[in-house]
Amino acid sequence: MSTQQTNAGKTGRIALAMQGGGAIGAFQAGVLEVLHEAGVTIDACCASSIGAINAAIFFGNAPSRRMDRLRDFYERVSVPGAMLRDQLFTWYGGMALSSDDRRRMLAEADQNYAMSAGLPGFFTRRLAVPWTNGTGAPELASVMDMRPLLGTLDSLCDFDELNRSATRVSVVATNVATGKPRYFDNRDEALQAPMIVASGSLPPWFAAVKIGDAWYWDGSLVSAAPVHRIVETAPDDAPTTILRADLWSPDGPVPDNLTDAEIRQKNIEHGSRAAAYHDSLDESQRLKALLAHALDCIDPSRRESDPRLIEAAALAKPKPIRIVPVDYTFSQRASHYKDGQFSRAAIATHWAHGREAAQAALAAMRVPGTPDA
């Protein structure tokens, strides 16, 4: 059976929503790897921030090269020398510190390295930062310079391939002036590297990116934008399964140190916003179903002649959508890894958890080609 037949026969259209989360985005790379191995066709994908980078590299390459290019990206941007340092720290620090204490200290070291020196192929530290005095140049209003990412994307992503992809790929950025989301979509326009960079330009670390006449920041500033886009663009007449690869969880333990407190704060901030959107979506679908039932109780001749009832009938159509969470529920609870921690150990851990989550989700969906199906 072909992949397309598998998707249509089992779950209809399949869409993928990928949230932002810095280095934790390696979890999504693990998810993509499992989907790739299982031969699952993704009909639509919307992503923000690191998710947009993952999507651009994955769908911007021929299937035979997708995973190699994703691995190449995470290798390029990882903290130099971190693997040897981690080993030495484990050998010589193991006698005095618990494993939790070591991970916390390494998390702080990696985060501080990235924020002070930058990451190869990703961003560099600006020599002069306009902390208080305006420059008239929004592209300079940041701590870091993301121009290295433009070169990395140009070498790892074939934008011609991305724009002719059978998958509808959207990346979201936030309009700095209006605070509203802007979706750059390969069905509406040609996706280019600056659009991907804009989707990941989180202030104040990264500057706004000018595209056309507007300036854009990170798409993660807008609540639950990737899932919202897929819901809004999903057809009314075909069932759509949305694989939601969120990187933050609103639930978690109470922290007892500042490293874990920062991690917990970000999980609550991003996870609760996503949860609020899903609650409102569920309520909207429920109200549409109730409205449809109420209309069925009205005489058909009146429904078809009353303009307001005709309008109500158009609204009373819940979309055939199912959201399957492929979320990072483990998150950073046990590992203490942070979103700015681009060490090889952190990336490998996130990647492995992404594989586990995707395998469990596909087994539950009963998609052939997975070990548990």
Side-chain angles (χ1 to χ4, degrees), residues 150-204:
L150 288 170
T152 298
L153 287 171
D154 283 338
S155 66
L156 295 180
C157 176
D158 181 341
F159 282 90
D160 289 335
E161 179 78 24
L162 178 61
N163 288 308
R164 65 172 174 259
S165 173
T167 301
R168 180 175 187 174
V169 180
S170 304
V171 299
V172 58
T174 303
N175 186 303
V176 179
T178 67
K180 295 180 179 180
R182 166 69 193 274
Y183 297 96
F184 299 101
D185 191 308
N186 68 349
R187 291 295 182 270
D188 301 329
E189 59 197 314
L191 294 178
Q192 300 294 334
M195 299 170 182
I196 311 302
V197 174
S199 183
S201 294
L202 183 67

Side-chain angles (χ1 to χ4, degrees), residues 65-302:
R65 293 188 300 200
R66 286 174 172 174
M67 294 316 303
D68 287 340
R69 291 293 173 86
L70 263 181
R71 291 189 193 92
D72 193 3
F73 169 74
Y74 282 98
E75 288 175 2
R76 288 193 191 190
V77 303
S78 61
V79 176
M83 185 172 293
L84 176 59
R85 182 216 56 195
D86 291 355
Q87 292 173 346
L88 291 173
F89 199 96
T90 299
W91 293 337
Y92 293 105
M95 295 180 290
L97 299 171
S98 69
S99 59
D100 279 358
D101 289 333
R102 289 199 301 274
R103 284 196 293 267
R104 289 188 185 104
M105 292 184 69
L106 291 173
E108 289 303 311
D110 287 339
Q111 187 105 333
N112 289 337
Y113 177 90
M115 293 301 102
S116 61
L119 292 170
F122 206 155
F123 53 84
T124 57
R125 179 87 181 198
R126 292 190 187 278
L127 296 178
V129 177
W131 293 106
T132 56
N133 295 326
T135 64
E139 69 273 18
L140 301 179
S142 66
V143 178
M144 299 292 177
D145 184 344
M146 289 188 79
R147 282 181 294 180
L149 180 58
L150 288 170
T152 298
L153 287 171
D154 283 338
S155 66
L156 295 180
C157 176
D158 181 341
F159 282 90
D160 289 335
E161 179 78 24
L162 178 61
N163 288 308
R164 65 172 174 259
S165 173
T167 301
R168 180 175 187 174
V169 180
S170 304
V171 299
V172 58
T174 303
N175 186 303
V176 179
T178 67
K180 295 180 179 180
R182 166 69 193 274
Y183 297 96
F184 299 101
D185 191 308
N186 68 349
R187 291 295 182 270
D188 301 329
E189 59 197 314
L191 294 178
Q192 300 294 334
M195 299 170 182
I196 311 302
V197 174
S199 183
S201 294
L202 183 67
W205 301 107
F206 309 123
V209 177
K210 189 175 185 181
I211 300 172
D213 296 327
W215 293 89
Y216 295 95
W217 271 335
D218 195 304
S220 295
L221 296 175
V222 185
S223 181
V227 172
H228 177 77
R229 173 68 168 182
I230 292 175
V231 170
E232 290 299 303
T233 57
D236 295 328
D237 57 353
T240 298
T241 296
I242 302 175
L243 301 175
R244 182 192 66 199
D246 278 3
L247 302 175
W248 307 95
S249 173
D251 301 321
V254 178
D256 59 2
N257 61 83
L258 292 183
T259 298
D260 289 352
E262 181 188 1
I263 293 171
R264 188 77 202 98
Q265 178 264 326
K266 289 183 178 180
N267 273 277
I268 292 172
E269 177 184 357
H270 296 287
S272 62
R273 287 162 58 195
Y277 173 79
H278 290 291
D279 288 344
S280 65
L281 175 62
D282 290 343
E283 181 66 7
S284 173
Q285 294 283 75
R286 187 182 73 86
L287 290 175
K288 287 182 178 182
L290 289 174
L291 178 58
H293 174 73
L295 289 171
D296 285 341
C297 299
I298 299 175
D299 183 82
S301 61
R302 184 181 175 191

